[in-house]
Amino acid sequence: MPPSRATKAPPRQVPAAGSARERLIAAAIATVRYKGFSATSVDEICQAAGVTKGAFFHHFASKEALAVEAAGAWTEIAEQRIFTQPDWTRIPDPLERLLGHIDFRLSMLDGPAEDFTCFVGTMVQESYNSSDPIRAACDASLHAYALRLAEDIQQAIDIYGIASGVSAVSLAFHIQAVLQGAFILAKANGNPVIARDSVMHLKRYVVMLFTQN
Amino acid sequence: MPPSRATKAPPRQVPAAGSARERLIAAAIATVRYKGFSATSVDEICQAAGVTKGAFFHHFASKEALAVEAAGAWTEIAEQRIFTQPDWTRIPDPLERLLGHIDFRLSMLDGPAEDFTCFVGTMVQESYNSSDPIRAACDASLHAYALRLAEDIQQAIDIYGIASGVSAVSLAFHIQAVLQGAFILAKANGNPVIARDSVMHLKRYVVMLFTQN
DNA sequence: TGACACATACCAACTGGTCGGTATGCTTTC
DNA sequence: GAAAGCATACCGACCAGTTGGTATGTGTCA
């Protein structure tokens, strides 16, 4: 169980480091990655955020509404942590950047699964039929990641060419699929080694596509 | 919501087609694939199976115990439906068999996601931290599938060779990862096309591995 | 007559959400 | 500058319904 904030929130109306709303979103992301969306109660999210349900329902119309907002936040987190902050994002050569991206994802595959697996992948797995707003928000996040990645892939294709019949978007979604599937295997096995191995296959495949055309 | 049995079960003690226990397992698999494990109540499983909770708890000590048994049943279903019954399982050439396998998985990617996605992959995604027995049962099922698949892959390697540094087991788990990841993308997108595309990448990769060594 | 496979009634805890209230900050008016 | 009114952020109690599970009863069969 993720450690929860047992102490009271800071005094009201004084903006804390991260407001209640932001802390609720962060708590939701952490708890859903740990145990899934349905098993995560509103009360539990509130405890982790250090507020009560009154605050929760002041900011969010429903548990579902929080989930949708959290999916949007997850897109922002990915944009910052994967596509902006790492040094490899500034490699000039797009193919090197793509391989750097995959190496980066590889290096993330360490420690407990809830620390490296995907919030929206986890949530849509169980909620896709129960809530169309949640499904659509997760899909939008996955799409945003893939389209962002496809930019680098297209640049690499423009310079190096790629195996016949492969598009940038197609390969970007395939990379997404491999990562999400690797996460499931790591969760089942309790060991990220199995996920790293699959991402090594992914890297090998990408290299093959760009060097044998 | 999957259509449930509104009418009463057949008269007591008359063995129906599939006993209560088997119907409960089938109902659990169907409902969990539709909406995940935590959102699936014992009552809901009973309604789908046409029995009451008395029957449920006569056969299973707990909801968790049913989940573990259902994971075992899923392994058996995969063994029959994927590794035994299809015609391609009787192709003599192991590489052709492997590619037949992938084509078969490709052909399954049609219709609503709950009809082609993986029961144990879905369940472990959200339950891996909440129940170690469920996690282990799902892992065993995923392992059984991969090790079964690795048999064909090893035979193909023996005849044709494979790219350096690739093992049969490693490739088998990678195939598992791609399939599970493709399922998530299909659930999010609401369209299996995106999953088929990823499995096409998988097939291309497997062909590359066996023909460029 | 006892074992088995159920059905029914019930239980305590939990759930998502509501509600009346409190504390504080901001704006307007005097 | 003070007071009043309003808005905001949040608290904690409460609600109806649901939940996993338990206890007991019933019918059938060997």
Side-chain angles (χ1 to χ4, degrees):
Chain A
M1 189 66 75
S4 65
R5 300 270 297 278
T7 54
K8 290 277 282 203
R12 313 180 189 45
Q13 313 292 36
V14 175
S19 67
R21 179 192 184 82
E22 288 166 347
R23 295 205 311 275
L24 282 163
I25 289 178
I29 288 174
T31 317
V32 169
R33 290 171 88 192
Y34 189 87
K35 65 196 289 191
F37 177 71
S38 298
T40 295
S41 65
V42 169
D43 220 10
E44 200 163 3
I45 294 170
C46 291
Q47 284 169 16
V51 298
T52 64
K53 278 203 282 195
F56 183 101
F57 286 100
H58 173 79
H59 289 289
F60 303 101
S62 63
K63 185 185 180 189
E64 181 189 58
L66 167 67
V68 168
E69 289 238 16
W74 187 251
T75 307
E76 290 305 309
I77 289 168
E79 177 59 34
Q80 292 305 312
R81 290 187 192 171
I82 296 178
F83 289 106
T84 306
Q85 289 166 359
D87 289 336
W88 57 261
T89 62
R90 283 173 282 283
I91 297 173
D93 182 65
L95 182 53
E96 288 302 313
R97 219 163 43 238
L98 176 59
L99 297 178
H101 185 127
I102 296 175
D103 281 338
F104 182 66
R105 297 310 303 258
L106 189 59
S107 73
M108 288 172 70
L109 299 175
D110 196 27
E114 65 269 20
D115 290 344
F116 61 74
T117 51
C118 179
F119 166 67
V120 293
T122 300
M123 186 158 66
V124 79
Q125 178 85 291
E126 59 178 291
S127 308
Y128 71 107
N129 269 327
S130 308
S131 168
D132 202 64
I134 292 181
R135 185 206 58 75
C138 292
D139 186 40
S141 185
L142 292 168
H143 255 75
Y145 185 101
L147 294 188
R148 190 66 170 79
L149 182 54
E151 292 174 13
D152 283 350
I153 296 174
Q154 188 57 61
Q155 290 181 38
I157 293 176
D158 290 343
I159 295 176
Y160 297 100
I162 199 171
S164 171
V166 174
S167 75
V169 169
S170 169
L171 180 56
F173 276 109
H174 180 60
I175 290 173
Q176 260 284 33
V178 172
L179 292 172
Q180 297 290 344
F183 295 155
I184 294 178
L185 297 189
K187 283 177 171 178
N189 192 243
N191 187 342
V193 166
I194 198 167
R196 290 202 290 270
D197 195 48
S198 201
V199 175
M200 295 290 286
H201 275 288
L202 172 67
K203 186 177 180 184
R204 181 192 291 267
Y205 175 58
V206 168
V207 167
M208 281 170 130
L209 284 178
F210 280 98
T211 58
Q212 297 163 4
N213 49 38
Chain B
M1 188 68 74
S4 64
R5 299 270 295 278
T7 56
K8 287 280 284 216
R12 312 173 183 57
Q13 315 293 36
V14 174
S19 67
R21 180 191 184 82
E22 288 165 347
R23 296 204 310 278
L24 283 163
I25 289 178
I29 288 173
T31 317
V32 169
R33 289 170 89 193
Y34 189 87
K35 64 196 291 192
F37 177 70
S38 298
T40 295
S41 64
V42 169
D43 219 11
E44 199 164 3
I45 294 171
C46 291
Q47 283 169 16
V51 297
T52 63
K53 280 203 280 194
F56 183 102
F57 285 101
H58 173 78
H59 289 287
F60 302 103
S62 62
K63 186 185 180 189
E64 180 189 58
L66 168 67
V68 168
E69 289 238 18
W74 186 251
T75 307
E76 290 305 310
I77 289 169
E79 176 59 34
Q80 292 306 312
R81 290 188 192 171
I82 296 178
F83 289 105
T84 305
Q85 289 167 359
D87 289 335
W88 57 262
T89 61
R90 283 173 280 283
I91 295 173
D93 182 67
L95 181 52
E96 288 301 314
R97 218 162 45 239
L98 176 56
L99 298 177
H101 185 126
I102 296 175
D103 280 337
F104 181 66
R105 296 311 302 259
L106 190 60
S107 74
M108 288 172 71
L109 299 174
D110 196 25
E114 64 270 19
D115 290 344
F116 60 74
T117 51
C118 181
F119 167 67
V120 292
T122 300
M123 187 158 65
V124 78
Q125 179 85 295
E126 58 178 292
S127 308
Y128 72 106
N129 269 327
S130 307
S131 167
D132 202 65
I134 292 180
R135 185 206 58 77
C138 292
D139 186 41
S141 184
L142 292 167
H143 254 77
Y145 184 101
L147 295 188
R148 189 65 171 79
L149 183 55
E151 292 174 13
D152 283 348
I153 297 175
Q154 186 57 59
Q155 291 181 36
I157 293 176
D158 289 344
I159 296 177
Y160 297 100
I162 198 170
S164 172
V166 174
S167 76
V169 170
S170 168
L171 180 55
F173 276 109
H174 179 60
I175 291 172
Q176 261 283 34
V178 172
L179 291 173
Q180 298 290 344
F183 294 156
I184 293 179
L185 297 189
K187 283 177 170 178
N189 192 242
N191 188 340
V193 165
I194 198 167
R196 289 202 291 270
D197 195 48
S198 202
V199 175
M200 294 292 285
H201 275 289
L202 172 66
K203 186 177 180 185
R204 180 192 292 266
Y205 175 59
V206 167
V207 168
M208 281 168 129
L209 284 178
F210 280 98
T211 57
Q212 297 164 4
N213 51 36

